[in-house]
Each structure stands twice: as C-alpha cells, then as structure tokens.
Amino acid sequence: MAIVVALLWSAAAFRLHAWRKSATFTNGAFVVSTAAIALACTWKVTSGAASGPSAQGDLFEHMLLVVAALATQLLLLSLRTGRPQPRAIAARVLTAAVVLAVMATTYVLDPATAADVIYRVAFHGYLSVALVESLQLVIRYSRSFDDAGRKMNLLLIGWGCAVGLIYSASRLLYVLVDLTLVPEPTAIHTAGSAAALIGSSGIALGILAPRSVRAVQRWRTAVTATHRLDPLWRDLAHAFPDITLSTSSPTTVHRAEIRYHRRLLEVAEGLARAHVHGPIPTESDAVSGLARALLVSRTTWQTPRGVLASELLPATPSTAEERRFIHALADDYRTAGNRTTPTTSGAAA
C-alpha cells in the first residue's frame, strides 16, 4: 500500500507541475483527481482506523474518492475539446453533490438501521456509474490520439477504471450478500480491496505515462541516431583524436541527447579536416559519392592534398537540413562496402 501511495503522490506532483506550466481545465482536473486519490489512500494508511466491512466506513476517505471520480469524468470529457460543455459539468457536479449529501446524512445515523445500507449503496453505486462512464470515454477517445504517450495514458487509466469497477461492484455485491447471509462474506471484501489497490496503481501509472513514454522515445531516438553516426564517427575520431571529448554513457535521456549532439559536432568537425582524394562526386550524387570517396581515401584523410570533405557537402539552408545530410552520409558510408574499422585509444568512448 505504501508503494501505491508513493506512486499516487508522484503522479499528483507531476500533474501539479504541468498545471503550473499550463493552467488548463484538463490539467486542473488531473491535479484534483490524483491528489484526491492520493490523499484518500494516505488517510487510509495513516488513520489506522479501518472500519469493518459492514460499517459505513471512513466518510472523509469516501468523499475524497467521490471527488476523484468526478474529476476523472471531467478530465476525460475535456480531452477532445479542452473543456466540457457547461451542462455536462453541471450535471456531474450536481450528481456528486447529491451523493455526498446522502453519505454525510446517513453517516451520522445509527449504522444498525437502514442508513448503513443507503450509505454503501449511494457511495459504491456512484463509483460504479462514474467508472463505467470513464471507461466508455477512454475507449471512445483512445482512438483519437496519435501520440504514444497519450495513448498509453488513456490505456492505463482505462485499465485502472476497469479494475476499480471490480472494487465498487464487489462492495455492492457485498451489501446484497451481507443482507442475506449470516457469515460475513470476507472473500468478496478482500477481492474488492485488492482491486482498489491495483486500480489506483493503474490510474497513477496512466497519469505518469505521457512523460515516461516521451522520455523513452527521446532516449531511443538519441541512441538510434548516435548508432547511425558510429562507423563514420569512429574513423574520423581515429584520424583526428583531438576532435573528440569523453561523454558519459547514455543511461539517461539527457546523457543520451548530449552524447548524440556531441557526436554530430565531432563528425562535422572531422569532415572539415578530412581531405578527400580521387573522383569528386557530382552534385546529383553528392552524398553517396562523398561517402565512397571518404571510404576509399580514409587512410590519407590527414594529408594536405585533395578537397576537404565538408566542401563537398551540399549547401544547406538550416541546421536540421545539415543534420539530415550528415545522417545520410553516415548511412551511405556504413553501406559503402565491407571494411575494417580502425580503432585507437584516442577515440572517445
């Protein structure tokens, strides 16, 4: 449970940071939803006063879960338009307010009366309806986004809602069975509690998913791009060891991107110092022709004869275009033929 609480507070902090950068309705609803779930779970862990299955339970914790369910509905409704219609907001807020009022009223009454049943049916019935609608919205909107982070976000939230629905449905079933059987159906209660933990974890992971998925994508892009440069970079680093600087292993996104940009600059600097001999590539065959010329004359790059390789690269109007040409050159250099790559202790790892 402590791990789930830590995960939920991490998700709440992440969404709060996003809301402070961009105070949109969706980000605000994310903050309320995650903070309410995190506070409810924290209260349950720290209060140490877990009420029995047949009691009305902890009012504060249950009210927070109602608020979280409401906020989840509103944030899912806002994904497509940025803000739900006022009528949709009013209807859901009014429904949640009625449920909270019923819970508060029945909570103070004698739990030995029908108030206990009314309380539990109102609370778990509302959660079930809210989770079903949230699940429907996830299924409807998940096909509308191309962004992998947003898709993973909705997928995990959807799974969290589905598992959470098992929790609320099990509690409603518990009420029915508890009224008809003398032995308390503890197995149903235990299964529902497990579903609540798993569902909360799924929602928390879903909220963290966009940032995590995008970070993985950035890391993979940087590592892949660095790998594309490697054959050409290694030969240039062997010929001109002083162009290289030691870089850390790409264990994080930041390090991977620094390593990639460093390699890109080192390749550009190496091309500005490497002399190419032999047939000069034509304009129509500039990149692949330069790759072949570099490969043929790589053992004499340091001799001050011929043409500098950088002068044979096509003129580029932007840094992005120059980067594209360097990648194309590295690809053609890799496939120009079988070769033995020279190595040296002077080349940076």
Side-chain angles (χ1 to χ4, degrees), residues 3-288:
I3 296 176
V4 175
V5 171
L7 194 62
L8 286 166
W9 279 117
S10 298
F14 166 64
R15 296 316 309 191
L16 180 60
H17 176 69
W19 178 79
R20 291 180 64 182
K21 292 175 63 177
S22 177
T24 63
F25 183 93
T26 303
N27 282 337
F30 261 125
V31 171
V32 174
S33 176
T34 51
I37 298 175
L39 189 56
C41 291
T42 303
W43 180 268
K44 187 173 186 66
V45 170
T46 57
S47 66
S51 54
S54 61
Q56 293 154 315
D58 190 296
L59 181 64
F60 181 62
E61 175 196 340
H62 292 170
M63 283 186 162
L64 285 171
L65 292 177
V66 170
V67 171
L70 170 63
T72 302
Q73 287 177 295
L74 294 179
L75 77 86
L76 290 172
L77 285 170
S78 71
L79 288 179
R80 180 168 292 180
T81 60
R83 187 183 184 91
Q85 294 295 323
R87 182 178 298 180
I89 297 176
R92 285 160 181 80
V93 170
L94 180 60
T95 302
V98 170
V99 171
L100 290 172
V102 171
M103 290 168 58
T105 302
T106 55
Y107 184 79
V108 298
L109 300 178
D110 185 359
T113 67
D116 175 63
V117 175
I118 295 172
Y119 177 97
R120 289 188 285 167
V121 169
F123 171 55
H124 295 297
Y126 173 79
L127 277 188
S128 297
V129 172
L131 288 170
V132 167
E133 184 189 25
S134 297
L135 191 55
Q136 290 175 332
L137 291 171
V138 166
I139 295 172
R140 182 191 308 169
Y141 293 153
S142 61
R143 301 165 186 166
S144 305
F145 296 97
D146 296 326
D147 178 69
R150 178 62 71 190
K151 279 184 175 292
M152 183 61 70
N153 167 241
L154 290 174
L155 176 64
L156 289 173
I157 289 178
W159 276 108
C161 290
V163 178
L165 185 59
I166 297 175
Y167 159 74
S168 57
S170 71
R171 289 300 190 263
L172 287 173
L173 179 62
Y174 184 93
V175 174
L176 178 62
V177 175
D178 192 34
L179 291 174
T180 56
L181 296 178
V182 175
E184 291 186 348
T186 54
I188 297 176
H189 187 270
T190 302
S193 298
L197 285 177
I198 297 171
S200 299
S201 301
I203 292 174
L205 289 171
I207 291 167
L208 291 170
R211 183 174 183 176
S212 302
V213 170
R214 290 180 191 125
V216 170
Q217 287 178 323
R218 286 172 54 196
W219 179 86
R220 186 176 60 185
T221 298
V223 170
T224 301
T226 302
H227 179 67
R228 288 178 64 186
L229 296 174
D230 273 350
L232 179 58
W233 174 83
R234 280 196 298 264
D235 285 359
L236 289 169
H238 172 75
F240 310 106
D242 57 319
I243 68 172
T244 64
L245 290 176
S246 178
T247 55
S248 303
S249 298
T251 53
T252 65
V253 175
H254 182 64
R255 288 183 175 183
E257 291 180 338
I258 287 179
R259 188 183 183 93
Y260 163 63
H261 290 298
R262 185 68 242 171
R263 292 285 172 88
L264 200 63
L265 290 172
E266 290 166 355
V267 168
E269 186 175 349
L271 293 175
R273 295 170 61 175
H275 290 80
V276 175
H277 314 282
I280 302 299
T282 62
E283 185 175 347
S284 61
D285 192 33
V287 175
S288 58

